[in-house]
Every structure is written in C-alpha cells, then in structure tokens.
Amino acid sequence: QVQLVESGGGLVQAGGSLRLSCAASGRTFSNYRMGWFRQAPGKEREFVGSITWNGGNTIYADSVKGRFTISKDNAKNTMYLQMNSLKPEDTAVYYCAAHQYSDSQYNYWGQGTQVTVSS
C-alpha cells in the first residue's frame, strides 16, 4: 500500500521560504508521477505542480511558476517542494499525491501539512 507523509509546513512571513517534504513508501515509484496540491479555507483544492519519478520532468501552476521548485531524492523516496517569495495567498494545506502513469488521476494522497504566510 502506498503511503505518503508530508512534513515541513509552518508559519512564515511574506517573502520568506519553506521546504516541504513528502516521504513515499510502499512500492517502487519508477513509473509514477508525484504531485503537490493545496487547499485554502473555503476554496477548492488546486494543483501546484508535479514531477515524474523517472525523468524528473516538472510542470507548475502559473500561480507558483518561478517561485516554487519541485525536486526528488530517489534514494530517500522523497519529493520536495521548495517555496520561495511566499505570499499570503499561498496559505493553505499542502498535500502530496501520486499516480501511476497508466492512471488518469491521482489516487494516493498524504494527510496534508499547513502552510501559513503572514503579511
């Protein structure tokens, strides 16, 4: 069974940085895409970005492009979300997720970690 555990959330001032981690376990992820999503209070969950486990190809939402970077450490089975130049509107619960390339949607989710950006 796939398990995803996020960590690294917290409170930061606007303009600051945080790095989130997503530790993955339960199987080999060589044919998986891993993603980050976020959900702010009263809003729908939105896509932040993703990375392919094999090739490391990344895509990002326009709202975070140039400020957030997704990376991975295959040896540690861990994905990261480096968040720079944080804005109050980045405040949300951040989730990591995963799906096999053969699946059309993300079907494994972590429990989420809170990120709060103060102005």
Side-chain angles (χ1 to χ4, degrees), residues 35-92:
W36 287 99
F37 291 77
R38 66 186 182 185
Q39 188 166 21
K43 294 188 176 181
E44 292 188 353
R45 185 172 60 198
E46 67 170 342
F47 172 79
V48 174
S50 68
I51 188 168
T52 57
W53 201 258
N54 260 354
N57 297 311
T58 54
I59 54 176
Y60 297 95
D62 287 344
S63 58
V64 305
K65 209 172 286 184
R67 300 188 298 123
F68 290 10
T69 303
I70 297 174
S71 62
K72 61 183 177 65
D73 184 330
N74 286 15
K76 296 181 178 180
N77 260 14
T78 300
M79 174 179 64
Y80 303 98
L81 179 65
Q82 177 67 45
M83 305 184 293
N84 298 329
S85 302
L86 282 161
K87 306 174 182 179
E89 51 263 43
D90 294 318
T91 295

Side-chain angles (χ1 to χ4, degrees), residues 14-52:
S17 298
L18 274 178
R19 189 179 79 157
L20 305 183
S21 300
C22 173
S25 62
R27 62 187 59 182
T28 302
F29 293 94
S30 56
N31 61 338
Y32 276 72
R33 176 175 286 275
M34 313 287 287
W36 287 99
F37 291 77
R38 66 186 182 185
Q39 188 166 21
K43 294 188 176 181
E44 292 188 353
R45 185 172 60 198
E46 67 170 342
F47 172 79
V48 174
S50 68
I51 188 168
T52 57

